[in-house]
PDB file of all heavy atoms in Angstrom:
ATOM      1  N   ILE A  72     -11.653  98.551  20.534  1.00 98.00           N
ATOM      2  CA  ILE A  72     -11.920  98.933  21.932  1.00 98.00           C
ATOM      3  C   ILE A  72     -11.925 100.458  22.013  1.00 98.00           C
ATOM      4  O   ILE A  72     -10.894 101.116  21.746  1.00 98.00           O
ATOM      5  CB  ILE A  72     -10.827  98.342  22.874  1.00 98.00           C
ATOM      6  CG1 ILE A  72     -10.877  96.806  22.825  1.00 98.00           C
ATOM      7  CG2 ILE A  72     -11.079  98.804  24.303  1.00 98.00           C
ATOM      8  CD1 ILE A  72      -9.867  96.110  23.680  1.00 98.00           C
ATOM      9  N   THR A  86      -0.952 106.274  33.836  1.00 98.00           N
ATOM     10  CA  THR A  86      -0.447 104.864  33.946  1.00 98.00           C
ATOM     11  C   THR A  86      -1.239 103.992  32.967  1.00 98.00           C
ATOM     12  O   THR A  86      -0.648 103.046  32.430  1.00 98.00           O
ATOM     13  CB  THR A  86      -0.628 104.395  35.389  1.00 98.00           C
ATOM     14  OG1 THR A  86      -2.026 104.379  35.764  1.00 98.00           O
ATOM     15  CG2 THR A  86       0.129 105.185  36.380  1.00 98.00           C
ATOM     16  N   GLU A  87      -2.481 104.290  32.756  1.00 98.00           N
ATOM     17  CA  GLU A  87      -3.269 103.405  31.828  1.00 98.00           C
ATOM     18  C   GLU A  87      -2.687 103.569  30.410  1.00 98.00           C
ATOM     19  O   GLU A  87      -2.579 102.596  29.673  1.00 98.00           O
ATOM     20  CB  GLU A  87      -4.739 103.884  31.801  1.00 98.00           C
ATOM     21  CG  GLU A  87      -5.562 103.424  32.944  1.00 98.00           C
ATOM     22  CD  GLU A  87      -7.031 103.697  32.751  1.00 98.00           C
ATOM     23  OE1 GLU A  87      -7.406 104.663  32.019  1.00 98.00           O
ATOM     24  OE2 GLU A  87      -7.862 103.017  33.300  1.00 98.00           O
ATOM     25  N   VAL A  89       0.319 104.492  29.424  1.00 98.00           N
ATOM     26  CA  VAL A  89       1.636 103.901  29.344  1.00 98.00           C
ATOM     27  C   VAL A  89       1.433 102.340  29.198  1.00 98.00           C
ATOM     28  O   VAL A  89       2.042 101.710  28.351  1.00 98.00           O
ATOM     29  CB  VAL A  89       2.477 104.261  30.576  1.00 98.00           C
ATOM     30  CG1 VAL A  89       3.752 103.413  30.631  1.00 98.00           C
ATOM     31  CG2 VAL A  89       2.799 105.737  30.593  1.00 98.00           C
ATOM     32  N   ALA A  90       0.588 101.820  30.024  1.00 98.00           N
ATOM     33  CA  ALA A  90       0.374 100.310  30.018  1.00 98.00           C
ATOM     34  C   ALA A  90      -0.223  99.882  28.686  1.00 98.00           C
ATOM     35  O   ALA A  90       0.200  98.852  28.115  1.00 98.00           O
ATOM     36  CB  ALA A  90      -0.554  99.918  31.147  1.00 98.00           C
ATOM     37  N   LEU A  91      -1.178 100.633  28.170  1.00 98.00           N
ATOM     38  CA  LEU A  91      -1.809 100.293  26.895  1.00 98.00           C
ATOM     39  C   LEU A  91      -0.817 100.425  25.739  1.00 98.00           C
ATOM     40  O   LEU A  91      -0.752  99.577  24.869  1.00 98.00           O
ATOM     41  CB  LEU A  91      -3.070 101.132  26.659  1.00 98.00           C
ATOM     42  CG  LEU A  91      -4.278 100.657  27.457  1.00 98.00           C
ATOM     43  CD1 LEU A  91      -5.331 101.818  27.475  1.00 98.00           C
ATOM     44  CD2 LEU A  91      -4.900  99.434  26.840  1.00 98.00           C
ATOM     45  N   ALA A  92      -0.045 101.513  25.735  1.00 98.00           N
ATOM     46  CA  ALA A  92       0.924 101.703  24.636  1.00 98.00           C
ATOM     47  C   ALA A  92       1.954 100.578  24.670  1.00 98.00           C
ATOM     48  O   ALA A  92       2.359 100.088  23.607  1.00 98.00           O
ATOM     49  CB  ALA A  92       1.561 103.060  24.769  1.00 98.00           C
ATOM     50  N   ARG A  93       2.355 100.113  25.869  1.00 98.00           N
ATOM     51  CA  ARG A  93       3.318  99.038  25.946  1.00 98.00           C
ATOM     52  C   ARG A  93       2.748  97.737  25.405  1.00 98.00           C
ATOM     53  O   ARG A  93       3.503  96.843  24.957  1.00 98.00           O
ATOM     54  CB  ARG A  93       3.820  98.900  27.364  1.00 98.00           C
ATOM     55  CG  ARG A  93       4.751 100.041  27.756  1.00 98.00           C
ATOM     56  CD  ARG A  93       5.430  99.783  29.058  1.00 98.00           C
ATOM     57  NE  ARG A  93       6.421 100.888  29.281  1.00 98.00           N
ATOM     58  CZ  ARG A  93       6.694 101.469  30.442  1.00 98.00           C
ATOM     59  NH1 ARG A  93       5.975 101.108  31.508  1.00 98.00           N
ATOM     60  NH2 ARG A  93       7.555 102.438  30.532  1.00 98.00           N
ATOM     61  N   GLU A  94       1.476  97.601  25.487  1.00 98.00           N
ATOM     62  CA  GLU A  94       0.813  96.322  25.010  1.00 98.00           C
ATOM     63  C   GLU A  94       0.147  96.493  23.670  1.00 98.00           C
ATOM     64  O   GLU A  94      -0.685  95.593  23.277  1.00 98.00           O
ATOM     65  CB  GLU A  94      -0.182  95.839  26.062  1.00 98.00           C
ATOM     66  CG  GLU A  94       0.378  95.280  27.309  1.00 98.00           C
ATOM     67  CD  GLU A  94       1.162  94.011  27.089  1.00 98.00           C
ATOM     68  OE1 GLU A  94       0.871  93.252  26.113  1.00 98.00           O
ATOM     69  OE2 GLU A  94       2.110  93.736  27.827  1.00 98.00           O
ATOM     70  N   ALA A  95       0.442  97.601  22.960  1.00 98.00           N
ATOM     71  CA  ALA A  95      -0.272  97.873  21.695  1.00 98.00           C
ATOM     72  C   ALA A  95      -0.141  96.719  20.709  1.00 98.00           C
ATOM     73  O   ALA A  95      -1.091  96.323  20.016  1.00 98.00           O
ATOM     74  CB  ALA A  95       0.235  99.141  21.041  1.00 98.00           C
ATOM     75  N   ALA A  97       0.058  93.538  21.327  1.00 98.00           N
ATOM     76  CA  ALA A  97      -0.847  92.451  21.731  1.00 98.00           C
ATOM     77  C   ALA A  97      -2.250  92.650  21.184  1.00 98.00           C
ATOM     78  O   ALA A  97      -2.934  91.713  20.740  1.00 98.00           O
ATOM     79  CB  ALA A  97      -0.883  92.252  23.220  1.00 98.00           C
ATOM     80  N   PHE A  98      -2.704  93.904  21.215  1.00 98.00           N
ATOM     81  CA  PHE A  98      -4.048  94.197  20.616  1.00 98.00           C
ATOM     82  C   PHE A  98      -3.998  94.045  19.107  1.00 98.00           C
ATOM     83  O   PHE A  98      -4.908  93.480  18.511  1.00 98.00           O
ATOM     84  CB  PHE A  98      -4.544  95.583  21.052  1.00 98.00           C
ATOM     85  CG  PHE A  98      -4.860  95.674  22.493  1.00 98.00           C
ATOM     86  CD1 PHE A  98      -3.920  96.128  23.434  1.00 98.00           C
ATOM     87  CD2 PHE A  98      -6.080  95.268  23.009  1.00 98.00           C
ATOM     88  CE1 PHE A  98      -4.186  96.187  24.784  1.00 98.00           C
ATOM     89  CE2 PHE A  98      -6.405  95.334  24.308  1.00 98.00           C
ATOM     90  CZ  PHE A  98      -5.465  95.782  25.251  1.00 98.00           C
ATOM     91  N   ARG A 101      -4.326  90.615  17.723  1.00 98.00           N
ATOM     92  CA  ARG A 101      -5.745  90.134  17.805  1.00 98.00           C
ATOM     93  C   ARG A 101      -6.638  90.900  16.857  1.00 98.00           C
ATOM     94  O   ARG A 101      -7.856  90.834  16.962  1.00 98.00           O
ATOM     95  CB  ARG A 101      -6.232  90.242  19.239  1.00 98.00           C
ATOM     96  CG  ARG A 101      -5.516  89.295  20.186  1.00 98.00           C
ATOM     97  CD  ARG A 101      -5.668  89.788  21.634  1.00 98.00           C
ATOM     98  NE  ARG A 101      -5.209  88.804  22.634  1.00 98.00           N
ATOM     99  CZ  ARG A 101      -3.912  88.669  22.956  1.00 98.00           C
ATOM    100  NH1 ARG A 101      -2.943  89.392  22.410  1.00 98.00           N
ATOM    101  NH2 ARG A 101      -3.582  87.783  23.899  1.00 98.00           N
ATOM    102  N   LEU A 105      -7.321 100.208  19.063  1.00 98.00           N
ATOM    103  CA  LEU A 105      -7.653 100.984  20.321  1.00 98.00           C
ATOM    104  C   LEU A 105      -8.009 102.384  19.899  1.00 98.00           C
ATOM    105  O   LEU A 105      -7.416 102.965  18.961  1.00 98.00           O
ATOM    106  CB  LEU A 105      -6.450 100.986  21.228  1.00 98.00           C
ATOM    107  CG  LEU A 105      -5.950  99.660  21.757  1.00 98.00           C
ATOM    108  CD1 LEU A 105      -4.583  99.861  22.468  1.00 98.00           C
ATOM    109  CD2 LEU A 105      -6.968  99.069  22.751  1.00 98.00           C
ATOM    110  N   THR A 163     -15.277 101.476  28.942  1.00 97.00           N
ATOM    111  CA  THR A 163     -14.616 100.717  27.897  1.00 97.00           C
ATOM    112  C   THR A 163     -15.689  99.940  27.121  1.00 97.00           C
ATOM    113  O   THR A 163     -16.458  99.200  27.740  1.00 97.00           O
ATOM    114  CB  THR A 163     -13.586  99.759  28.441  1.00 97.00           C
ATOM    115  OG1 THR A 163     -12.709 100.447  29.393  1.00 97.00           O
ATOM    116  CG2 THR A 163     -12.690  99.125  27.380  1.00 97.00           C
ATOM    117  N   PHE A 165     -16.162  97.173  24.056  1.00 98.00           N
ATOM    118  CA  PHE A 165     -15.599  96.143  23.147  1.00 98.00           C
ATOM    119  C   PHE A 165     -16.586  95.985  22.023  1.00 98.00           C
ATOM    120  O   PHE A 165     -17.665  95.494  22.177  1.00 98.00           O
ATOM    121  CB  PHE A 165     -15.392  94.834  23.926  1.00 98.00           C
ATOM    122  CG  PHE A 165     -14.396  94.932  25.057  1.00 98.00           C
ATOM    123  CD1 PHE A 165     -14.804  95.496  26.267  1.00 98.00           C
ATOM    124  CD2 PHE A 165     -13.100  94.532  24.878  1.00 98.00           C
ATOM    125  CE1 PHE A 165     -13.884  95.620  27.316  1.00 98.00           C
ATOM    126  CE2 PHE A 165     -12.189  94.636  25.911  1.00 98.00           C
ATOM    127  CZ  PHE A 165     -12.586  95.188  27.157  1.00 98.00           C
ATOM    128  N   THR A 176     -17.195  97.862  30.279  1.00 96.00           N
ATOM    129  CA  THR A 176     -16.835  98.021  31.680  1.00 96.00           C
ATOM    130  C   THR A 176     -16.894  99.507  32.064  1.00 96.00           C
ATOM    131  O   THR A 176     -16.776 100.358  31.245  1.00 96.00           O
ATOM    132  CB  THR A 176     -15.434  97.440  31.959  1.00 96.00           C
ATOM    133  OG1 THR A 176     -14.449  98.244  31.324  1.00 96.00           O
ATOM    134  CG2 THR A 176     -15.314  96.014  31.557  1.00 96.00           C
ATOM    135  N   TYR A 178     -15.425 101.936  35.268  1.00 92.00           N
ATOM    136  CA  TYR A 178     -14.667 102.076  36.493  1.00 92.00           C
ATOM    137  C   TYR A 178     -14.683 103.521  36.967  1.00 92.00           C
ATOM    138  O   TYR A 178     -14.771 104.453  36.176  1.00 92.00           O
ATOM    139  CB  TYR A 178     -13.157 101.712  36.228  1.00 92.00           C
ATOM    140  CG  TYR A 178     -12.827 100.277  35.962  1.00 92.00           C
ATOM    141  CD1 TYR A 178     -13.748  99.322  35.559  1.00 92.00           C
ATOM    142  CD2 TYR A 178     -11.514  99.842  36.141  1.00 92.00           C
ATOM    143  CE1 TYR A 178     -13.407  98.037  35.281  1.00 92.00           C
ATOM    144  CE2 TYR A 178     -11.148  98.540  35.900  1.00 92.00           C
ATOM    145  CZ  TYR A 178     -12.102  97.634  35.447  1.00 92.00           C
ATOM    146  OH  TYR A 178     -11.737  96.356  35.188  1.00 92.00           O
ATOM    147  N   GLY A 183      -7.686 102.393  38.056  1.00 97.00           N
ATOM    148  CA  GLY A 183      -7.222 102.150  36.707  1.00 97.00           C
ATOM    149  C   GLY A 183      -7.643 100.824  36.183  1.00 97.00           C
ATOM    150  O   GLY A 183      -7.764  99.830  36.933  1.00 97.00           O
ATOM    151  N   ARG A 184      -7.824 100.770  34.845  1.00 98.00           N
ATOM    152  CA  ARG A 184      -8.201  99.506  34.195  1.00 98.00           C
ATOM    153  C   ARG A 184      -6.975  98.520  34.208  1.00 98.00           C
ATOM    154  O   ARG A 184      -5.851  98.931  34.286  1.00 98.00           O
ATOM    155  CB  ARG A 184      -8.633  99.786  32.755  1.00 98.00           C
ATOM    156  CG  ARG A 184     -10.030 100.302  32.619  1.00 98.00           C
ATOM    157  CD  ARG A 184     -10.287 100.828  31.222  1.00 98.00           C
ATOM    158  NE  ARG A 184      -9.731 102.189  31.201  1.00 98.00           N
ATOM    159  CZ  ARG A 184     -10.366 103.260  30.637  1.00 98.00           C
ATOM    160  NH1 ARG A 184     -11.584 103.088  30.092  1.00 98.00           N
ATOM    161  NH2 ARG A 184      -9.808 104.453  30.615  1.00 98.00           N
ATOM    162  N   SER A 185      -7.331  97.244  34.058  1.00 98.00           N
ATOM    163  CA  SER A 185      -6.341  96.206  33.936  1.00 98.00           C
ATOM    164  C   SER A 185      -6.144  95.820  32.461  1.00 98.00           C
ATOM    165  O   SER A 185      -7.107  95.332  31.860  1.00 98.00           O
ATOM    166  CB  SER A 185      -6.795  94.982  34.763  1.00 98.00           C
ATOM    167  OG  SER A 185      -6.082  93.844  34.312  1.00 98.00           O
ATOM    168  N   VAL A 186      -4.942  96.049  31.933  1.00 98.00           N
ATOM    169  CA  VAL A 186      -4.750  95.712  30.511  1.00 98.00           C
ATOM    170  C   VAL A 186      -4.834  94.193  30.328  1.00 98.00           C
ATOM    171  O   VAL A 186      -5.448  93.731  29.354  1.00 98.00           O
ATOM    172  CB  VAL A 186      -3.406  96.307  30.038  1.00 98.00           C
ATOM    173  CG1 VAL A 186      -3.117  95.820  28.601  1.00 98.00           C
ATOM    174  CG2 VAL A 186      -3.455  97.822  30.086  1.00 98.00           C
ATOM    175  N   PRO A 187      -4.266  93.336  31.231  1.00 98.00           N
ATOM    176  CA  PRO A 187      -4.498  91.911  31.047  1.00 98.00           C
ATOM    177  C   PRO A 187      -5.970  91.527  31.041  1.00 98.00           C
ATOM    178  O   PRO A 187      -6.371  90.645  30.287  1.00 98.00           O
ATOM    179  CB  PRO A 187      -3.783  91.298  32.265  1.00 98.00           C
ATOM    180  CG  PRO A 187      -2.697  92.266  32.612  1.00 98.00           C
ATOM    181  CD  PRO A 187      -3.340  93.629  32.320  1.00 98.00           C
ATOM    182  N   GLU A 188      -6.805  92.175  31.793  1.00 98.00           N
ATOM    183  CA  GLU A 188      -8.196  91.853  31.781  1.00 98.00           C
ATOM    184  C   GLU A 188      -8.865  92.366  30.496  1.00 98.00           C
ATOM    185  O   GLU A 188      -9.759  91.672  29.950  1.00 98.00           O
ATOM    186  CB  GLU A 188      -8.956  92.497  33.054  1.00 98.00           C
ATOM    187  CG  GLU A 188     -10.474  92.279  33.029  1.00 98.00           C
ATOM    188  CD  GLU A 188     -10.928  90.805  33.086  1.00 98.00           C
ATOM    189  OE1 GLU A 188     -10.092  89.853  33.109  1.00 98.00           O
ATOM    190  OE2 GLU A 188     -12.166  90.637  33.009  1.00 98.00           O
ATOM    191  N   MET A 189      -8.393  93.490  29.958  1.00 98.00           N
ATOM    192  CA  MET A 189      -8.938  93.925  28.687  1.00 98.00           C
ATOM    193  C   MET A 189      -8.633  92.906  27.574  1.00 98.00           C
ATOM    194  O   MET A 189      -9.425  92.591  26.718  1.00 98.00           O
ATOM    195  CB  MET A 189      -8.386  95.280  28.300  1.00 98.00           C
ATOM    196  CG  MET A 189      -8.902  96.452  29.185  1.00 98.00           C
ATOM    197  SD  MET A 189      -7.997  97.985  28.970  1.00 98.00           S
ATOM    198  CE  MET A 189      -8.611  98.572  27.391  1.00 98.00           C
ATOM    199  N   LEU A 190      -7.360  92.377  27.635  1.00 98.00           N
ATOM    200  CA  LEU A 190      -6.963  91.351  26.666  1.00 98.00           C
ATOM    201  C   LEU A 190      -7.773  90.057  26.871  1.00 98.00           C
ATOM    202  O   LEU A 190      -8.155  89.373  25.909  1.00 98.00           O
ATOM    203  CB  LEU A 190      -5.484  91.097  26.771  1.00 98.00           C
ATOM    204  CG  LEU A 190      -4.577  92.187  26.118  1.00 98.00           C
ATOM    205  CD1 LEU A 190      -3.121  92.013  26.582  1.00 98.00           C
ATOM    206  CD2 LEU A 190      -4.697  92.197  24.608  1.00 98.00           C
ATOM    207  N   ARG A 191      -7.996  89.736  28.133  1.00 98.00           N
ATOM    208  CA  ARG A 191      -8.759  88.506  28.415  1.00 98.00           C
ATOM    209  C   ARG A 191     -10.209  88.617  27.927  1.00 98.00           C
ATOM    210  O   ARG A 191     -10.765  87.698  27.317  1.00 98.00           O
ATOM    211  CB  ARG A 191      -8.792  88.219  29.895  1.00 98.00           C
ATOM    212  CG  ARG A 191      -9.261  86.817  30.292  1.00 98.00           C
ATOM    213  CD  ARG A 191      -9.479  86.684  31.810  1.00 98.00           C
ATOM    214  NE  ARG A 191     -10.705  87.328  32.186  1.00 98.00           N
ATOM    215  CZ  ARG A 191     -11.896  86.698  32.282  1.00 98.00           C
ATOM    216  NH1 ARG A 191     -11.970  85.388  32.035  1.00 98.00           N
ATOM    217  NH2 ARG A 191     -12.990  87.343  32.655  1.00 98.00           N
ATOM    218  N   ILE A 192     -10.814  89.767  28.075  1.00 98.00           N
ATOM    219  CA  ILE A 192     -12.174  90.003  27.582  1.00 98.00           C
ATOM    220  C   ILE A 192     -12.170  89.812  26.069  1.00 98.00           C
ATOM    221  O   ILE A 192     -13.021  89.141  25.470  1.00 98.00           O
ATOM    222  CB  ILE A 192     -12.711  91.368  27.988  1.00 98.00           C
ATOM    223  CG1 ILE A 192     -12.974  91.412  29.534  1.00 98.00           C
ATOM    224  CG2 ILE A 192     -14.006  91.667  27.216  1.00 98.00           C
ATOM    225  CD1 ILE A 192     -13.302  92.780  30.018  1.00 98.00           C
ATOM    226  N   LEU A 193     -11.180  90.440  25.411  1.00 98.00           N
ATOM    227  CA  LEU A 193     -11.108  90.354  23.941  1.00 98.00           C
ATOM    228  C   LEU A 193     -10.864  88.898  23.544  1.00 98.00           C
ATOM    229  O   LEU A 193     -11.566  88.387  22.620  1.00 98.00           O
ATOM    230  CB  LEU A 193      -9.961  91.272  23.459  1.00 98.00           C
ATOM    231  CG  LEU A 193      -9.725  91.271  21.975  1.00 98.00           C
ATOM    232  CD1 LEU A 193     -10.947  91.871  21.231  1.00 98.00           C
ATOM    233  CD2 LEU A 193      -8.502  92.215  21.688  1.00 98.00           C
ATOM    234  N   ASP A 194      -9.953  88.209  24.179  1.00 98.00           N
ATOM    235  CA  ASP A 194      -9.725  86.801  23.843  1.00 98.00           C
ATOM    236  C   ASP A 194     -10.968  85.987  24.053  1.00 98.00           C
ATOM    237  O   ASP A 194     -11.262  85.087  23.262  1.00 98.00           O
ATOM    238  CB  ASP A 194      -8.572  86.228  24.711  1.00 98.00           C
ATOM    239  CG  ASP A 194      -7.203  86.726  24.245  1.00 98.00           C
ATOM    240  OD1 ASP A 194      -7.038  87.020  23.041  1.00 98.00           O
ATOM    241  OD2 ASP A 194      -6.321  86.803  25.118  1.00 98.00           O
ATOM    242  N   GLY A 195     -11.671  86.231  25.133  1.00 98.00           N
ATOM    243  CA  GLY A 195     -12.893  85.505  25.435  1.00 98.00           C
ATOM    244  C   GLY A 195     -13.937  85.710  24.372  1.00 98.00           C
ATOM    245  O   GLY A 195     -14.550  84.757  23.854  1.00 98.00           O
ATOM    246  N   LEU A 196     -14.150  86.910  23.983  1.00 98.00           N
ATOM    247  CA  LEU A 196     -15.167  87.185  22.913  1.00 98.00           C
ATOM    248  C   LEU A 196     -14.819  86.575  21.612  1.00 98.00           C
ATOM    249  O   LEU A 196     -15.650  86.021  20.930  1.00 98.00           O
ATOM    250  CB  LEU A 196     -15.361  88.743  22.797  1.00 98.00           C
ATOM    251  CG  LEU A 196     -15.953  89.484  23.975  1.00 98.00           C
ATOM    252  CD1 LEU A 196     -15.830  91.003  23.807  1.00 98.00           C
ATOM    253  CD2 LEU A 196     -17.405  89.072  24.179  1.00 98.00           C
ATOM    254  N   ASN A 209     -13.090  82.944  35.308  1.00 98.00           N
ATOM    255  CA  ASN A 209     -11.585  83.000  35.331  1.00 98.00           C
ATOM    256  C   ASN A 209     -10.963  82.350  34.086  1.00 98.00           C
ATOM    257  O   ASN A 209      -9.789  82.050  34.113  1.00 98.00           O
ATOM    258  CB  ASN A 209     -11.056  82.302  36.596  1.00 98.00           C
ATOM    259  CG  ASN A 209     -11.544  82.981  37.861  1.00 98.00           C
ATOM    260  OD1 ASN A 209     -11.797  84.204  37.847  1.00 98.00           O
ATOM    261  ND2 ASN A 209     -11.764  82.217  38.891  1.00 98.00           N
ATOM    262  N   TRP A 210     -11.744  82.120  33.048  1.00 98.00           N
ATOM    263  CA  TRP A 210     -11.204  81.499  31.824  1.00 98.00           C
ATOM    264  C   TRP A 210      -9.978  82.299  31.297  1.00 98.00           C
ATOM    265  O   TRP A 210      -9.969  83.526  31.364  1.00 98.00           O
ATOM    266  CB  TRP A 210     -12.311  81.461  30.763  1.00 98.00           C
ATOM    267  CG  TRP A 210     -11.844  80.921  29.446  1.00 98.00           C
ATOM    268  CD1 TRP A 210     -11.779  79.585  29.129  1.00 98.00           C
ATOM    269  CD2 TRP A 210     -11.384  81.623  28.343  1.00 98.00           C
ATOM    270  NE1 TRP A 210     -11.277  79.451  27.844  1.00 98.00           N
ATOM    271  CE2 TRP A 210     -11.001  80.705  27.310  1.00 98.00           C
ATOM    272  CE3 TRP A 210     -11.155  82.998  28.034  1.00 98.00           C
ATOM    273  CZ2 TRP A 210     -10.519  81.094  26.069  1.00 98.00           C
ATOM    274  CZ3 TRP A 210     -10.688  83.373  26.814  1.00 98.00           C
ATOM    275  CH2 TRP A 210     -10.335  82.431  25.850  1.00 98.00           C
ATOM    276  N   GLN A 211      -9.064  81.543  30.848  1.00 98.00           N
ATOM    277  CA  GLN A 211      -7.864  82.159  30.160  1.00 98.00           C
ATOM    278  C   GLN A 211      -7.671  81.419  28.852  1.00 98.00           C
ATOM    279  O   GLN A 211      -8.077  80.244  28.676  1.00 98.00           O
ATOM    280  CB  GLN A 211      -6.595  81.949  30.994  1.00 98.00           C
ATOM    281  CG  GLN A 211      -6.562  82.667  32.335  1.00 98.00           C
ATOM    282  CD  GLN A 211      -6.429  84.168  32.174  1.00 98.00           C
ATOM    283  OE1 GLN A 211      -5.979  84.701  31.159  1.00 98.00           O
ATOM    284  NE2 GLN A 211      -6.756  84.930  33.245  1.00 98.00           N
ATOM    285  N   PRO A 212      -7.106  82.138  27.816  1.00 97.00           N
ATOM    286  CA  PRO A 212      -6.904  81.483  26.491  1.00 97.00           C
ATOM    287  C   PRO A 212      -6.250  80.100  26.638  1.00 97.00           C
ATOM    288  O   PRO A 212      -5.310  79.985  27.428  1.00 97.00           O
ATOM    289  CB  PRO A 212      -6.031  82.464  25.766  1.00 97.00           C
ATOM    290  CG  PRO A 212      -6.297  83.803  26.416  1.00 97.00           C
ATOM    291  CD  PRO A 212      -6.571  83.479  27.909  1.00 97.00           C
TER     292      PRO A 212
END
Side-chain angles (χ1 to χ4, degrees):
I72 296 178
T86 62
E87 283 189 332
V89 170
L91 282 163
R93 288 191 173 139
E94 288 295 333
F98 290 95
R101 292 158 171 83
L105 296 170
T163 310
F165 296 79
T176 65
Y178 290 20
R184 280 165 281 224
S185 159
V186 175
E188 177 60 3
M189 291 169 75
L190 285 166
R191 193 191 77 93
I192 292 171
L193 181 61
D194 284 333
L196 293 170
N209 300 328
W210 177 85
Q211 293 289 341

